[in-house]
Amino acid sequence: MEFSFSVTGPPKVDLKDSYDVVVIGGGPSGLTAAIYTSRAQLSTLVVNKGAPGGLVATTEWIENYPGFPDGVAGAELGRAMQNQAQRFGTEFASGEPEEIHLAADPKVIRVAGQDIKARAVIIATGTTPKKLNVPGEREFYGRGVSYCATCDGPFFADKELLVVGAGSSGVQESGFLAKFASKITIVEFLPTIQAERILIERFKKTGKGSFLLNQEVLAIEGEETVTGVRVRDRDSNEEKLIPAGGVFIYVGLEPQTEAFADQLKLDQWGYIEVDSNLRTNVEGVWAAGDVVSGATRQIAAAVGSGTIAAIEVEHYLSSKS
Amino acid sequence: MGMLKDEDKKYIREQFDEKLKGPVKILLFSQKLECEYCQPTEEILTELSELSDKITLDVRNLQIDSDDAKQFGVDKVPAIILLGEQDKDYGIRFFGIPSGYEFSTLLADIIDVSNGKSDLPEKMVDKIAAIKTPVHIKVFVTPTCPYCPNAVRAAHKIAMANPRYIKAQMIESTEFPHLANKYAVYGVPKTIINERVQFEGAMPEAAVVEQVLSALEEPGA
């Protein structure tokens, strides 16, 4: 048996009343920004609702982030980034901001009932898995419908699973699910597989998987738990029920910008619009990482974006004081 | 080589030096046979307890010390209970090894118990402290679930606010499949309160507090 032990610094109990920089979001872009601003001796608070690394923490294994020739566990990478920020004095609050006033000067963010002032804000809230929006999806959430293979994979030992979405996430996480499941069918809306070739080949090697392309998912069916998924072939219009003990959904991501929707300029999909220096339309507010309109959603790109935002914030604050 | 990396030990030691106030006793219920995870749990807790002189580890046996087990509501192993100053029971329970993400839950809980309080906002603490009937919270997790520690921490903080009436358990689903089965756990975190209220996912603390209160309402009220 092998065990890992995630050592993440518990959040500080006593938050200060004001910080030079408040970063909202603790994924790669937010944590990188915090490493830079803290190291520049700007007092920095990261408000993070989830695990260190954000969505990265739900990725089992990462192979395309430079510096790790053998790859690195998503959880491990997120944690290392958080520890690095902590080393330079970044403070952490867990949870979601309850209120945000970006136009004010200083800006005010309410966390756990406490109003915190910030001279500058970096929004790095990233994205969250998209829902399919089909009947049964909500009803069977936690009873066979899941968006997190690393979380819930162990509950599906020897079961037949259906994964929706043949993008890189769907195919990669199917590879992980193959450790548990007896059989995996990946259903894709488009007529082609979008995932990276290396992931497809690895998935095929598990010997447990197959693809079903050009299929629209109509409904998730079940009784106590999921028993199957109804799909429609987009060419023949033929409908059929694929038996499955669980459904994992990887149909893309959507931005987490609801909390600022009325305060910042967003694009038509809800991502934050910025200029080339990652400034938003509100003075003193930057956006970084996957939440930025047009972002290349990769960890290395998010890290770069967090760096740019942090350096811009440093310039801004030193010119102000 | 131990279970913890040297760099992690160094980090934990620093955190403990800075944040621990009063003593914390880690009470582990274990057994030698037919408990795959008991031995590794004892190993990791031994290493952890060596990182601060404020922490002690007390290992009991489920069968031999059955009276103690009963007193703390322990019916399966490994089980961990954190006791504060003068062996005060804060209602915090871990069933199964606190590995993966749940190790950070354990660290944060130890710090809270040592301080005799959590960072749960006062308004919520007041609501919880007013409860005068027993509350049992179960939070099912897997060690690889990054959303789970928030759910467990919320439950443990709530227990800390009223330990006389509230007990909150982390349950490692893969170690206790019969329980995961009984409560139809197919996704984690899954929280069950007094066998009446259940919800999936990590909710904000305030929402969990409301769920606890709703579990106490009379049916149909």
Side-chain angles (χ1 to χ4, degrees):
Chain A
M1 257 187 302
E2 255 188 62
F3 296 99
S4 73
F5 297 93
S6 167
V7 180
T8 308
K12 280 247 177 189
V13 173
D14 300 313
L15 297 177
K16 293 201 276 278
D17 290 333
S18 70
Y19 291 85
D20 292 320
V21 187
V22 169
V23 180
I24 305 174
S29 64
L31 293 174
T32 304
I35 290 167
Y36 272 82
T37 56
S38 295
R39 198 163 169 275
Q41 299 189 320
L42 298 168
S43 63
T44 303
L45 174 72
V46 172
V47 184
N48 187 19
K49 69 171 177 177
L55 209 52
V56 164
T58 69
T59 309
E60 199 223 357
W61 198 251
I62 291 156
E63 295 182 315
N64 52 8
Y65 186 68
F68 296 91
D70 303 318
V72 58
E76 181 80 13
L77 183 62
R79 193 192 116 195
M81 288 181 180
Q82 174 159 317
N83 287 352
Q84 195 171 347
Q86 242 161 358
R87 193 185 135 206
F88 294 114
T90 300
E91 295 184 12
F92 288 84
S94 66
E96 275 183 87
E98 290 130 29
E99 267 183 49
I100 303 171
H101 302 283
L102 294 176
D105 185 24
K107 287 116 191 28
V108 182
I109 292 128
R110 182 172 294 171
V111 183
Q114 183 182 344
D115 281 335
I116 290 163
K117 297 189 186 77
R119 295 170 67 205
V121 170
I122 298 173
I123 295 173
T125 46
T127 54
T128 184
K130 233 186 224 171
K131 307 277 184 290
L132 258 180
N133 289 322
V134 296
E137 182 180 22
R138 184 192 279 258
E139 189 188 346
F140 291 109
Y141 172 65
R143 293 193 290 142
V145 172
S146 173
Y147 306 87
C148 180
T150 59
C151 301
D152 303 333
F155 297 111
F156 298 92
D158 303 321
K159 292 230 165 77
E160 292 187 13
L161 294 181
L162 193 132
V163 171
V164 186
S168 287
S169 297
V171 176
Q172 181 170 20
E173 298 307 309
S174 296
F176 173 75
L177 291 171
K179 290 184 191 174
F180 309 99
S182 60
K183 183 182 161 196
I184 297 171
T185 309
I186 301 182
V187 171
E188 167 61 46
F189 185 80
L190 298 172
T192 53
I193 302 170
Q194 308 293 309
E196 293 168 295
R197 179 149 243 118
I198 185 171
L199 299 174
I200 300 170
E201 274 162 20
R202 207 173 289 155
F203 172 64
K204 284 184 175 162
K205 267 194 201 138
T206 66
K208 291 181 174 179
S210 60
F211 289 94
L212 204 56
L213 303 177
N214 211 21
Q215 304 286 322
E216 182 187 358
V217 173
L218 300 175
I220 295 165
E221 300 186 0
E223 285 159 27
E224 282 296 297
T225 61
V226 169
T227 54
V229 176
R230 188 163 292 282
V231 299
R232 180 181 70 89
D233 187 297
R234 293 173 64 217
D235 279 334
S236 67
N237 252 333
E238 197 184 313
E239 281 184 25
K240 65 175 173 187
L241 184 71
I242 305 171
V247 187
F248 285 77
I249 297 171
Y250 291 95
V251 289
L253 301 163
E254 57 192 13
Q256 307 195 90
T257 47
E258 231 172 76
F260 339 95
D262 53 350
Q263 300 184 51
L264 291 178
K265 201 166 168 215
L266 306 179
D267 70 12
Q268 63 186 113
W269 297 282
Y271 291 87
I272 301 174
E273 292 199 347
V274 294
D275 68 10
S276 59
N277 294 324
L278 301 179
R279 270 186 301 222
T280 68
N281 62 316
V282 176
E283 196 195 320
V285 180
W286 280 256
D290 288 6
V291 78
V292 169
S293 177
T296 305
R297 292 188 216 142
Q298 294 296 312
I299 300 166
V303 162
S305 156
T307 309
I308 295 168
I311 288 173
E312 289 296 319
V313 166
E314 280 177 56
H315 290 164
Y316 169 77
L317 290 180
S318 64
S319 72
K320 260 189 99 180
S321 55
Chain B
M1 207 187 99
M3 296 184 102
L4 286 170
K5 291 183 215 147
D6 285 343
E7 62 193 73
D8 287 342
K9 281 187 183 173
K10 181 169 168 280
Y11 178 75
I12 297 169
R13 206 187 290 272
E14 286 167 7
Q15 293 286 313
F16 281 172
D17 279 349
E18 188 190 328
K19 292 171 181 166
L20 294 187
K21 291 211 174 94
V24 178
K25 185 192 276 182
I26 305 176
L27 190 56
L28 169 67
F29 284 90
S30 181
Q31 66 187 27
K32 292 270 180 271
L33 298 172
E34 287 177 16
C35 177
E36 204 184 348
Y37 292 84
C38 283
Q39 182 59 29
T41 302
E42 186 170 340
E43 275 172 42
I44 185 68
L45 294 179
T46 303
E47 281 186 31
L48 187 61
S49 63
E50 284 163 0
L51 299 177
S52 168
D53 53 16
K54 293 202 170 74
I55 302 177
T56 50
L57 174 63
D58 185 346
V59 184
R60 312 273 174 97
N61 183 290
L62 181 66
Q63 272 88 37
I64 297 169
D65 305 305
S66 59
D67 287 349
D68 296 336
K70 200 182 250 176
Q71 183 201 329
F72 288 105
V74 170
D75 56 358
K76 52 192 169 290
V77 287
I80 299 166
I81 292 139
L82 299 181
L83 302 174
E85 193 114 42
Q86 293 174 338
D87 284 352
K88 180 171 177 181
D89 180 3
Y90 284 99
I92 294 172
R93 308 282 185 269
F94 291 84
F95 290 101
I97 188 166
S99 71
Y101 284 110
E102 293 312 320
F103 190 63
S104 58
T105 306
L106 177 66
L107 296 181
D109 282 348
I110 287 174
I111 291 171
D112 280 355
V113 166
S114 175
N115 285 275
K117 66 177 172 64
S118 76
D119 63 354
L120 201 67
E122 215 169 296
K123 268 186 286 179
M124 294 185 216
V125 170
D126 291 346
K127 279 188 185 176
I128 293 299
I131 294 173
K132 296 285 178 257
T133 49
V135 176
H136 291 277
I137 309 176
K138 293 184 179 72
V139 184
F140 285 90
V141 305
T142 57
T144 46
C145 160
Y147 307 106
C148 290
N150 279 352
V152 178
R153 284 281 289 150
H156 282 172
K157 287 179 192 179
I158 287 170
M160 278 196 82
N162 188 349
R164 187 171 161 204
Y165 289 106
I166 306 177
K167 305 283 180 272
Q169 315 176 344
M170 178 214 83
I171 301 174
E172 204 279 273
S173 311
T174 60
E175 284 173 62
F176 304 106
H178 60 290
L179 278 181
N181 210 18
K182 177 181 171 192
Y183 290 98
V185 179
Y186 292 94
V188 285
K190 178 163 182 172
T191 303
I192 291 144
I193 305 167
N194 279 7
E195 317 282 318
R196 281 185 62 186
V197 169
Q198 60 171 52
F199 57 90
E200 273 100 13
M203 284 191 187
E205 285 164 355
V208 182
V209 170
E210 292 311 315
Q211 295 285 344
V212 169
L213 296 175
S214 76
L216 298 175
E217 283 163 13
E218 289 302 315

